[in-house]
Amino acid sequence: MSPLLQTPEESTAPSRSGRKLARTTMGLERDKKRHGDVEDRRGDTLVDEIGIVTTAPAPNGVDLVQESVSLIEYVARLGDFRSTQRQECYSLVRRMKSLLPLFDEIRFLGSAIPPNAIASLSKLKKVFCLAKKLLKTCNEGSKIYLALESEAMMVKFHAVHEKLCQALDELPFDEIEVSVEVREQVELMVTQLRRGKRRKDTQDMELAVDLMAVSSKTDERNADIAIIERLAKKLDLNTVENLKKETIAISNVAKERGQTSECIEQIVEILNKFKQVFGMEVIDVFEDPVKPKLLLKPGSLMIPHEFLCPITLEVMRDPVIIASGQTFERESIQKWFDSNHRTCPKTRERLGHLSLAPNHALKNLITQWRETNNYKSPNTEGLASPQGSSIKQEEISSLVEELSSCQLKVQRRAAKDIRMLSKENAESRILFAENGAIPALVQLLTYPDSKIQEHAVTALLNLSINDTNKKLIANEQAIPTIIDVLRNGRMESRENSAAALFSLSMLDENKVTIALLDGIPALVELLEQGTVRGKKDAVTALFNLCLNQANKARAIDAGIVPPLLLLLKDKKLNMVDEALSMFLLLVTHPQGRYEIGQLSFIGTLVDIIKKGTPKNKECAASVLLELSSNNSSHILAALQFGVYEHLVDISETGTNRAQRKARGLLQVMKTSDQLP
């Protein structure tokens, strides 16, 4: 098979079919432009988000085969897909390609294709058009939008799978005389599609945690930077180039859905947070997103983004080329390699070697630009601090040494300085760790001085933004000491301890460690007693910890349900979304369903379904559906509280996800004979 049609999950086709396919592909190369362009237009008229609309009669059998193969070739050339749907996309492309031998045999039939086979092939081609549209969205669409709408996208994939199964079931195999080998291959694929279930994995849930935190409109905290950077990395939106492409993609989504929709506003807010963290100018995505923008630096000097290192986003002094062909600042990429990375930070591809080649041409251009614009680089021996000053390597070493001073005042000042310098500067987090700041800060957590405790735990929180530092902090046995500060420290120290546990718990092994060291009861206590900020820190950390199934039972045993109910009822706290998200996680556990499925809770859910925001209604309906699917008495209780008419309304006017949940609840009522 031609390499053009291969994906990472490609399996080898039978040799006889492979030879025929080669002939088919060669013959279709002449038709590719003609048929490919036709399908681009036809696909858009035949398919919408829900189903398929036919605008023209089906062509003859030969044309159908050629156009179907062209569609498969098209999706095979799409290349990479968005990380949130990558597995589903490659799976769908692989299954479409597995049908090539079928089309190959039909193409070379000795007799004319029967009319009923033409009708089936026409239906199959329409499914391919639907699949093409879906795969194009996952290839070109907004990464933020696809992450927020991951469940809706999964529903669309399942719709394509179902339509594909139906179309293949209707194929008259006996009449078109395909080989037993090809027929068995098609039947096996249909069986696999029908057996497949919706995937719910930890990675998706962790993405939901970060999206929930970044979407918050209140409480700008130190931890926000960590969450934003981590989310940008997960979505591959941590470079200037990718953020520009995302801006264009969001503009296209806005044209389709309307600029004032709640979803678009949320997407734009997240995009702007990414841009602020990575030093980009925040612009109106609806004005002219295609027009190239240059990065704005202090002094209003516009810097060409090609001059910026993709890692540090600073103007390069010594640009070098690595095996992927990408250019980086020598010092930055060397540190990347020294941290045991063997991939390109920009393309994520594995590198064949770690050699660095000077990029003399780019260096000369940067030099000329510097001279023309009288651009002064930051001190090459130090790092730019958030306040615009610079900190040298000697100062970093000195601050770390002062953490072990015999004078309390010196230690307190050093911990505070490290806290501030590590807040927004990624490079400083690495250097402080390399110079031994983590063990010294962990030691300070045991000091009785409340200010030292506060500065130390917050500095560790900032340092933990770096994934390597997460492991170093855990290896220094910091987690039990952080939990102790969470229990016994001053309120600000407790809040930042909760935020630090959230950051550390992004590593799965730390989720287990924190739970075994009784971190969950301490977080539940903060959820009960803390300030609004403390409650937000606690519920975010608890959500992340409860992605581990065993930790759900621990949280329930620690008494998490009553304070969550208070969050639902106290509208002044503005934490209904967070509480409902936590309930939705706990309700997937049998013990959780027992604890929260009480009459008063059902009444509260129904009240939110009646009067809440669209997002609140969506989440409340999701929780009620999960409860009712396991116990019909819950849906009966909800009916007694008057939920029916509101579910009917949501099923017609709610968000896409809320409509699906409301219809699911109505179906549960119908099957359990509880409809009014």
Side-chain angles (χ1 to χ4, degrees), residues 42-48 51-56 125-126 129:
R42 284 182 180 167
D44 292 338
T45 58
L46 288 170
V47 182
D48 61 17
I52 301 171
V53 179
T54 303
T55 60
K125 195 202 78 169
K126 292 172 185 177
C129 290

Side-chain angles (χ1 to χ4, degrees), residues 12-274:
T12 305
S15 58
R16 181 174 64 84
S17 299
R19 289 195 296 271
K20 287 186 177 181
L21 177 59
R23 295 197 299 273
T24 303
T25 305
M26 289 172 61
L28 289 175
E29 283 297 327
R30 297 188 298 271
D31 304 323
K32 189 174 295 181
K33 181 178 291 187
R34 175 168 62 87
H35 291 295
D37 292 344
V38 168
E39 280 313 315
D40 279 342
R41 296 190 294 273
R42 284 182 180 167
D44 292 338
T45 58
L46 288 170
V47 182
D48 61 17
E49 284 191 350
I50 300 173
I52 301 171
V53 179
T54 303
T55 60
N60 62 54
V62 175
D63 285 343
L64 281 170
V65 170
Q66 290 175 338
E67 291 170 0
S68 295
V69 173
S70 294
L71 282 166
I72 296 173
E73 289 180 337
Y74 180 91
V75 299
R77 290 195 301 270
L78 285 177
D80 197 14
F81 296 97
R82 303 312 192 216
S83 59
T84 43
Q85 286 82 29
R86 186 169 294 148
Q87 179 174 329
E88 290 76 23
C89 290
Y90 279 131
S91 177
L92 179 55
V93 171
R94 185 180 70 251
R95 284 172 171 137
M96 289 175 66
K97 286 161 55 179
S98 71
L99 296 174
L100 284 168
L102 170 66
F103 290 115
D104 188 39
E105 293 201 359
I106 296 173
R107 179 180 172 85
F108 289 98
L109 278 176
S111 57
I113 300 175
N116 56 339
I118 291 177
S120 297
L121 289 172
S122 179
K123 186 172 183 178
L124 187 57
K125 195 202 78 169
K126 292 172 185 177
V127 178
F128 288 167
C129 290
L130 181 62
K132 172 190 168 184
K133 183 175 181 180
L134 181 59
L135 291 166
K136 278 185 67 176
T137 299
C138 295
N139 177 255
E140 304 169 356
S142 160
K143 298 177 181 179
I144 300 173
Y145 172 79
L146 290 172
L148 288 169
E149 295 292 315
S150 59
E151 184 172 345
M153 294 302 294
M154 189 68 72
V155 170
K156 292 181 181 181
F157 274 102
H158 279 272
V160 171
H161 293 167
E162 184 60 33
K163 292 177 187 294
L164 186 57
C165 289
Q166 292 173 1
L168 292 172
D169 281 341
E170 295 176 9
L171 271 176
F173 287 103
D174 294 333
E175 295 184 31
I176 56 179
E177 300 177 355
V178 298
S179 66
V180 174
E181 178 185 21
V182 169
R183 181 170 181 171
E184 288 178 348
Q185 184 178 350
V186 173
E187 290 173 347
L188 176 62
M189 187 194 76
V190 172
T191 301
Q192 291 172 339
L193 278 174
R194 288 217 164 96
R195 196 168 52 215
K197 295 181 180 179
R198 181 171 302 186
R199 183 171 56 92
K200 290 184 178 181
D201 57 25
T202 302
Q203 182 182 7
D204 293 337
M205 294 299 292
E206 288 185 347
L207 186 67
V209 175
D210 285 350
L211 283 169
M212 180 179 70
V214 172
S215 299
S216 174
K217 293 182 172 60
T218 59
D219 191 17
E220 295 294 331
R221 301 165 293 164
N222 293 341
D224 288 343
I225 300 170
I227 299 168
I228 293 169
E229 287 184 349
R230 182 168 52 249
L231 181 59
K233 183 178 179 181
K234 286 180 181 178
L235 297 179
D236 198 22
L237 291 174
N238 52 350
T239 67
V240 173
E241 181 181 357
N242 287 347
L243 284 168
K244 287 184 177 180
K245 292 178 181 177
E246 178 69 6
T247 302
I248 297 171
I250 290 174
S251 177
N252 293 334
V253 174
K255 290 176 183 176
E256 296 176 4
R257 299 177 63 91
Q259 298 180 12
T260 58
S261 70
E262 182 182 352
C263 178
I264 295 301
E265 290 177 359
Q266 185 180 10
I267 291 171
V268 172
E269 287 176 5
I270 294 173
L271 174 68
N272 289 340
K273 288 185 178 182
F274 288 166

